[in-house]
Amino acid sequence: MQKPTTAENPAKRGSFGLSQFLVAVTITTVAYFVYWGLGYTGFNHTLLFLLAGTFGLFMAFNIGGNDVANSFGTSVGAGTLSITQALIVAAIFEVSGALIAGREVTDTISTGIVDLSVIDIQPLQFVYIMMSALIAAALWLLFASYKGLPVSTTHSIIGGIVGASIALGLTLHSDQTFSLVYWHKIWHIVASWVISPVLGGIMSWLVYGQIKKHVLMHGSVADHITYSRRMKSLRPRIHRHLTSRLTQFQSMMMVNPDDGAHAPGTEAEKVLARRALRLWIPLIATFGALMVSSMLLFKGLKNLNLGLSDWQYSLIIGVLCAAVWFTVRRYARGFRSSEVSRATYILFSWMQVVTASGFAFSHGSNDIANAIGPFTAIIDVLKNQSINDGAAPVPTVAMIAFGVALVAGLWFIGREVIATVGTHLAEMSPAAGFTAELSAAMVVMLASSLGLPVSSTHILVGAILGIGLVNRNANWRLMKPIALAWLITVPAAGICAAIAFLCFNSFS
């Protein structure tokens, strides 16, 4: 007998409602953005502004569908966050990271890749270069997202800018065509693309190896993964938000002997299990708090000029770490030695929420610049009717609009990439996801503080594979199409941008 339509799938009805809400927010934001932008540019070249705004928002949308989806794949794959919860975290921390800490990389993207002063370039030709880069990069990201391949938005936009600039030089028959590109910076960036996944992999391999040795083994790694699988299977019935999910899980879930898990039996095993609960988990949580708070204070909030010295920032971090250690240790002591697996699942789930938020902040400070940087350069030219030698200011309204587009992209086209990163590369649990996100956030924030536009995609994929090496379940076969996509991203975006530039230039 067929069930009534109204009771068939509440989750789908909720998703449809959220989709409608997100569409309404996006339309409202874009409408105000267009109204603001026309006034900001003084109604100069209205059609070009509308095209540039469309391309920029489309680029941000595809960053959400690929790069942000890649960032939250571990959290969703581990069962720590649902898609809806990942959307909320992205909305808060991705946008705030871009607004607070994204200036340095935005400047690098918009002005530091090519030197157009060596040729006689007209302001509108500069606009065509940036527009071409945006649309080419966005189309490549859309294709990759459809295929479920996590590729780099940084690769895409840099390839687009380089390809369109070379097309301009060839159009002008300039002998300085290949001198337009800062090749030394390109090679530095290429080197960072190689180093980043290696660093992410080494970091996660080291950290997760210690977590597995000192914590997970005392409650059985199989038990920990079993809890992760159970949590994901129960999501449609008991999860509305993270707090209620963990509370219900703690009260409902007990170790099932049929799962292959075991509780510590000998007195020596019980001692080690208590040590894992009362020493190692609080220490791991404290280290996570140290890294996340350092990223937020020294990289992000410090740009607000709060008037605090380094030692005052250090004092704040120390207090936060002490509070985390005390809270987690007190909570962990409430579990028995036989409940190590249950305790680790709950505690690492909470810890992964924190690292996911920190990684979202660091990601926002880097990769939204791939959309907002070229667009900011475009509207600066349209407003002033000239090419500004320095970095153009980043309007807050534009950053918010692009942030909303980014979140919409995560929701509407990000599921394939989430599945690839969160499930297919290596099986994720909260402990594994916590390690991957923490390792990746550390590398990304270091790069952001140096003003270097690295690929967070490569970093996180490397971190996941590092965990897969520890658990011996890395899907190296899947890395073949991913690696191929990485290799062709720059030339594909460059060729598309060159074609787009020739089309725009022919109509001028």
Side-chain angles (χ1 to χ4, degrees), residues 258-315:
D258 296 333
D259 292 333
H262 66 274
T266 66
E267 187 59 34
E269 288 176 335
K270 292 179 180 179
V271 170
L272 291 175
R274 285 195 296 269
R275 183 179 178 84
L277 278 173
R278 300 179 182 183
L279 174 63
W280 286 107
I281 292 181
L283 284 177
I284 293 167
T286 303
F287 177 73
L290 171 65
M291 298 312 304
V292 172
S293 59
S294 296
M295 288 186 294
L296 291 175
L297 290 174
F298 282 108
K299 173 55 188 170
L301 299 181
K302 191 172 184 179
N303 291 344
L304 296 180
N305 298 318
L306 299 178
L308 300 177
S309 62
D310 286 348
W311 76 266
Q312 289 173 313
Y313 282 115
S314 301
L315 180 61

Side-chain angles (χ1 to χ4, degrees), residues 99 117 131 318 345 367 447 492:
L99 289 172
S117 64
M131 287 174 56
Y345 190 101
D367 286 13

Side-chain angles (χ1 to χ4, degrees), residues 32 52 60 91 103 112 127 156 161 181 189 191 211 246 311 371 435 481 495 497 500 504:
Y32 181 77
R103 165 73 63 175
V127 170
S156 303
I161 292 174
V181 182
I189 293 170
I211 291 175
L246 294 177
W311 76 266
T435 304
I495 292 171
F504 290 135

